Amino acid sequence: MNGSTDDRLVVCINLRDDRTDVTDPRALEALFRHAMREAHVRSADVSRVLVIDSVDTLPAHHAAYERLCSNPLVGNLLCLAVGELPGPDERVLSVPAQLRPPVAATLWIGDVRGIGWRPGQAGSLSLTDTDIAADDLAGLEPLIELLRVAEVFDEAMATLSDLPGAVASPALRLLVHEVPEQDLIRAQLHALDTCVSPPDELRSGPAPGGALDVLTGDVQPEDLSVEECLPEGSVLRQAHWRTAEALGRLNDRLDVLAGWRGLLRAGDPADDVVQSAREAGYALADYRDAIEQTFEWADGRAGLDADGRDHLAQMGVQLPLVPGTRPEEVGEELRRQVVQRLRRRRPLPEIVSWLRDFAGRAAPTGSAAQLDRLHRICPDELLDSLSEPPPPAIGTDPVPPALWAATAALLAGLSPLGVWGVLVVLVLLGLGAVRTAGAPRRVPPATAGALAVAWLVGGAAGVGLRITAGPPVWTGAPLLVLALLATALSARSLWVAAVRQWRSDACLAEAAEAVERLGDVLDQGVLQHWLLADARAGASDQAKALAHLVQSVCDTLAEFAEQLGRRARPTWDSAQRGSGRTGPSGGRGGSTFAVEYVGQAGEALRTTLAADITDLVAEVLAPYWEVVLRDPSSAAALPVVSRTDELMNEYQRQPAQMGTTPPPPFASASADRPDPATLVGVDLRRIVDVLLPDSRNEALQLCSPDQLRMLDRAPGAARSFGFVPHAMQGAFWKAVVSSSGADKGTGGRGDGGSEAPGSPRWAARGSSPDGAGMPEIVWTASGRFAGLLRLVPLSTGAVRPVWPGPDVDGAPAGDHSSFPSASHASGETG
């Protein structure tokens, strides 16, 4: 916007345009509102009015000035009267009587091309030559833009009020801190590309700790155990322990069955084991079905509904609140993470990637998705093997029984019974095999063959040894006892192998493992699916909504970058076109020698513009945080694109209106923003040189050589003040001290004070040490301008106030009052 701040607007009115009508109050109010719309402000102080008029039409516009000066909205009016004096009397400037202090003042620009002259100069003048006419407003554009800075406008009004008649001829020396347009476009493109281009490696990664990691399952909730959610008295936990106890009883009965009691027990020894296996199978099936039913009823894929919560309550599942997982707490943490990444100037695609990655990992998969896992852990075949166990069978390893059989046959053959003892062993071995198998036909042929071969070999060896060696008679009884014991051990070996094989066929180990794994799945379902179902679903929706907002901003900025890229010319072409921009006249069409455009795009500007873009993103998102975090479904309807367009358009207008130095309203770190000199590469010594006494004489007086006769040319008649951007105040005073050699002990404005240049009290006064010789300094919020404005009063009789006569509508006004036009200063040479 124009002016220094949003609430101070200098309204420019061009009365040289015949279509401008300020006599109608409604038209004038509409003109003010139009100026506010152009400045893109909704509320503003419009009391400062800058009127551009021609010298020859000043008297005819008396009614317009009367309306303006009496309007309650107008507090100060500064008239720029442009052109040579009309008529034969060319030494008197006729000014409407309304243009007088304290409301109004006048600046007369007799020739926009200007002359090189300083007050008190008696020698030759410097003549300038440009391609514009003497009253061409194009040559006044820099002065008009300068006076539209509120601080400069106020200082000019205050200075003119102290001059005779409040009329003066201005002299200007202006430095415009402005980066060449193509360089600025390329710097803006660089900033936009930095913001919207994805980096080489996207840093999506997990959330950096806190509740977000809990929601993604990377860490478990602190100070919260599964026992608090699934107490021992709950239905599911009781089902777990019933199944574990049933399997324990089955295991104990199998251990008993594998002993001598099971082998020697009358009847079917496996009846109790079969019954225990069926009980364990039914308990395991009930346990799995209870978990499965709970997983189906309380899915939690989109959060828990009322039915799901009721079912969990019936199953004894308790869901305490996990600290930090309330929707507002999760939303605030997501907001903090996004803002933190923006402050670190991370590209927007990286932020979008992180949000989407988090949303995907936080989204609850739902406990129903675990049903297949339940059936993989505890398949129906496992339940069938427990509920309907297969009949016992002899184990597949016949080696131990065969060795004991061979030993029994050998001992029986050595005994006094000889062959009869071997036959007895064979009968006993057959009975043991049939007992183990349950029926003769169920004895595996391989086992029977192995026992027969072992018996035959052992018996033949025993009988042969008895015949050849003839053991002592007293060994007969011990040999028979040992033979019977070896026969029993062979049968028990077959029995133990059969029980072991039965344990394996009944899948007892698999069932015990299934119980433990079902418990783990249940615990995982409690902590990850039910306990955090609502929080995870809400966090995922919030992250998706934020990702949509950031992506919308990123896409809009990418479109701006594309549009800006079409305006940018290649560097070589830009250098050729912009070569005339430097030099005395600044290379601008219609510029004068009073204006010099300085500035270049460097790393500081590119870095600052990139920071501005990320701050703009934060400003775009600022009004929508609460809305989207409270209702993520509203993200698609939020006007993010239009707000981004609005802020980007405003931000792109700022360099043309106020320069690149003032931080935009949304900048987060304006205190760290580089001063204009650093930002646009301006040497502060050039500004100091413009304001030093020797250089102030180089200001261009905006009049013609002949019109110089109307000015009060006494050396002390003129009033001068400098203007410098406030952002470079500290650096400016350092440059002043460096240039003038002023010490800290030099006081301000000759008051004998002890403040150093740049100290708060001294700088606030806008003045400089006597040693520095600086004029009054006006610190402006605009970062575009620095320089000097010199106001030279007109000589005695050169100003004539005019009151409206009977024929104001075109004829010369006839009523000239005795309103004092000028007071002749001592030493006047006019």
Side-chain angles (χ1 to χ4, degrees):
M1 63 166 286
N2 299 318
S4 60
T5 61
D6 288 349
D7 61 348
R8 292 191 294 174
L9 184 65
V10 178
V11 180
C12 186
I13 300 176
N14 186 6
L15 291 183
R16 298 179 67 171
D17 186 351
D18 294 337
R19 295 171 297 178
T20 303
D21 181 17
V22 296
T23 57
D24 183 357
R26 287 175 297 182
L28 182 59
E29 182 178 342
L31 191 149
F32 285 153
R33 296 187 184 278
H34 177 71
M36 292 172 61
R37 285 192 295 270
E38 283 190 335
H40 301 279
V41 294
R42 295 184 178 180
S43 176
D45 174 10
V46 294
S47 61
R48 298 165 180 83
V49 177
L50 179 66
V51 179
I52 304 171
D53 203 348
S54 297
V55 170
D56 54 353
T57 59
L58 272 176
H61 290 156
H62 190 283
Y65 289 112
E66 185 175 6
R67 287 288 188 180
L68 285 171
C69 292
S70 61
N71 192 289
L73 292 175
V74 178
N76 293 106
L77 185 149
L78 178 58
C79 175
L80 293 185
V82 185
E84 299 179 354
L85 300 179
D89 186 2
E90 296 183 355
R91 294 195 181 185
V92 177
L93 175 65
S94 297
V95 178
Q98 292 291 342
L99 297 179
R100 65 178 185 269
V103 177
T106 306
L107 287 179
W108 173 46
I109 296 92
D111 191 332
V112 299
R113 296 168 296 189
I115 58 174
W117 172 81
R118 62 179 181 271
Q121 178 180 353
S124 59
L125 305 176
S126 297
L127 189 64
T128 62
D129 184 26
T130 61
D131 56 353
I132 58 178
D135 60 349
D136 192 342
L137 282 185
L140 277 185
E141 287 179 359
L143 177 61
I144 293 173
E145 289 300 317
L146 174 63
L147 291 174
R148 295 182 75 175
V149 177
E151 295 90 347
V152 177
F153 181 95
D154 291 343
E155 185 65 22
M157 286 295 300
T159 303
L160 285 169
S161 297
D162 294 337
L163 296 180
V167 181
S169 171
L172 184 63
R173 181 79 187 278
L174 182 63
L175 298 179
V176 182
H177 306 142
E178 190 172 289
V179 176
E181 182 181 8
Q182 289 300 312
D183 292 350
L184 181 60
I185 290 177
R186 283 192 292 271
Q188 291 175 333
L189 273 176
H190 179 272
L192 287 170
D193 289 340
T194 302
C195 185
V196 303
S197 298
D200 296 335
E201 296 183 1
L202 290 177
R203 303 178 185 175
S204 54
L212 299 188
D213 275 354
V214 174
L215 296 176
T216 57
D218 294 330
V219 297
Q220 294 296 329
E222 295 181 359
D223 302 328
L224 184 65
S225 62
V226 69
E227 288 77 12
E228 298 181 51
C229 304
L230 196 63
E232 295 298 330
S234 63
V235 175
L236 291 174
R237 191 62 81 193
Q238 289 297 315
H240 174 86
W241 292 124
R242 281 196 302 270
T243 306
E245 290 173 359
L247 289 174
R249 287 194 300 269
L250 174 60
N251 185 67
D252 293 342
R253 291 185 177 180
L254 283 172
D255 291 340
V256 172
L257 183 64
W260 288 105
R261 289 173 55 188
L263 178 63
L264 300 177
R265 180 181 175 182
D268 189 356
D271 285 344
D272 292 342
V273 176
V274 171
Q275 182 62 31
S276 295
R278 288 174 178 171
E279 291 176 358
Y282 295 151
L284 181 58
D286 291 342
Y287 184 35
R288 190 195 71 174
D289 291 344
I291 297 177
E292 182 177 1
Q293 185 181 19
T294 307
F295 276 16
E296 288 179 343
W297 275 85
D299 181 23
R301 185 177 307 172
L304 292 174
D305 54 14
D307 293 339
R309 290 186 177 275
D310 290 343
H311 185 79
L312 289 177
Q314 294 173 5
M315 302 304 289
V317 179
Q318 301 175 5
L319 302 177
L321 178 65
V322 178
T325 60
R326 289 189 177 91
E328 59 273 15
E329 293 175 323
V330 175
E332 184 59 32
E333 180 63 19
L334 285 173
R335 174 181 181 175
R336 189 183 69 84
Q337 291 292 334
V338 173
V339 172
Q340 187 178 46
R341 282 166 169 77
L342 287 174
R343 288 175 179 171
R344 294 203 305 262
R345 313 305 180 196
R346 300 309 307 164
L348 296 184
E350 181 180 293
I351 299 177
V352 172
S353 176
W354 176 81
L355 286 170
R356 289 175 175 170
D357 177 75
F358 170 78
R361 292 187 296 118
T365 56
S367 56
Q370 303 297 317
L371 297 180
D372 291 341
R373 185 181 176 189
L374 291 177
H375 285 272
R376 288 194 303 269
I377 293 174
C378 183
D380 293 338
E381 293 79 5
L382 175 61
L383 299 177
D384 294 340
S385 66
L386 285 173
S387 303
E388 299 294 335
I394 296 178
T396 58
D397 185 10
V399 174
L403 291 176
W404 286 115
T407 302
L410 176 64
L411 293 173
L414 287 173
S415 70
L417 296 179
V419 175
W420 293 105
V422 175
L423 293 176
V424 171
V425 169
L426 177 61
V427 173
L428 293 176
L429 288 175
L431 292 175
V434 171
R435 170 69 172 173
T436 302
R441 64 179 181 275
R442 294 182 59 191
V443 178
T447 302
L451 291 175
V453 171
W455 168 82
L456 182 60
V457 172
V463 172
L465 287 174
R466 175 177 175 78
I467 295 174
T468 57
V473 177
W474 63 268
T475 61
L479 288 175
L480 287 175
V481 172
L482 291 176
L484 293 175
L485 180 59
T487 303
L489 290 174
S490 177
R492 186 178 185 278
S493 180
L494 283 174
W495 180 255
V496 171
V499 173
R500 184 187 307 117
Q501 184 64 39
W502 197 23
R503 186 192 297 268
S504 176
D505 292 342
C507 302
L508 183 59
E510 289 81 351
E513 182 183 359
V515 172
E516 295 301 321
R517 293 180 64 187
L518 286 176
D520 293 339
V521 173
L522 177 59
D523 293 347
Q524 185 180 19
V526 170
L527 293 178
Q528 296 189 8
H529 297 296
W530 301 330
L531 179 63
L532 299 172
D534 294 339
R536 294 184 66 181
S540 179
D541 291 342
Q542 288 175 333
K544 290 177 183 177
L546 291 180
H548 174 78
L549 293 188
V550 178
Q551 185 63 57
S552 299
V553 177
C554 182
D555 294 342
T556 308
L557 294 179
E559 293 178 4
F560 265 98
E562 183 178 353
Q563 298 171 7
L564 205 60
R566 289 194 289 266
R567 292 171 49 195
R569 293 191 294 269
T571 306
W572 59 268
D573 187 38
S574 176
Q576 291 180 358
R577 295 170 183 255
S579 60
R581 192 172 178 276
T582 59
S585 63
R588 291 291 187 90
S591 298
T592 68
F593 283 88
V595 183
E596 183 177 358
Y597 292 87
V598 294
Q600 57 185 349
E603 186 61 29
L605 179 61
R606 288 190 290 269
T607 302
T608 303
L609 292 180
D612 286 345
I613 294 298
T614 52
D615 288 341
L616 182 143
V617 175
E619 180 69 13
V620 170
L621 299 176
Y624 308 127
W625 287 115
E626 298 298 333
V627 177
V628 75
L629 294 177
R630 185 171 56 251
D631 181 15
S633 62
S634 64
L638 294 176
V640 178
V641 174
S642 60
R643 179 167 171 79
T644 306
D645 285 337
E646 178 185 355
L647 289 180
M648 275 302 298
N649 286 324
E650 179 181 349
Y651 179 59
Q652 287 186 317
R653 283 190 299 268
Q654 177 172 310
Q657 297 173 343
M658 297 188 67
T660 56
T661 302
F666 47 77
S668 62
S670 58
D672 299 330
R673 193 178 186 85
D675 59 63
T678 304
L679 198 58
V680 300
V682 177
D683 188 353
L684 281 170
R685 290 174 298 183
R686 299 183 66 180
I687 301 177
V688 175
D689 289 343
V690 169
L691 300 178
L692 287 175
D694 294 339
S695 301
R696 290 204 294 266
N697 295 328
E698 299 177 6
L700 197 68
Q701 193 71 39
L702 299 183
C703 68
S704 66
D706 185 59
Q707 294 165 352
L708 191 61
R709 297 177 298 173
M710 297 179 60
L711 305 186
D712 188 344
R713 290 173 285 174
R719 299 290 185 270
S720 301
F721 64 89
F723 42 91
V724 181
H726 187 275
M728 64 171 63
Q729 186 179 40
F732 171 79
W733 287 127
K734 292 179 181 179
V736 170
V737 173
S738 175
S739 298
S740 63
D743 283 327
K744 288 186 177 183
T746 309
R749 300 186 73 174
D751 58 359
S754 59
E755 298 103 334
S759 64
R761 287 182 57 195
W762 184 65
R765 288 195 297 264
S767 56
S768 64
D770 291 340
M774 286 288 159
E776 191 81 13
I777 302 295
V778 176
W779 305 107
T780 65
S782 172
R784 292 190 65 206
F785 305 116
L788 178 79
L789 185 62
R790 185 177 66 209
L791 304 179
V792 181
L794 272 64
S795 59
T796 303
V799 179
R800 177 173 53 197
V802 179
W803 293 94
D807 35 34
V808 157
D809 296 331
D815 184 13
H816 305 299
S817 74
S818 59
F819 178 78
S821 61
S823 61
H824 206 289
S826 61
E828 179 187 13
T829 58

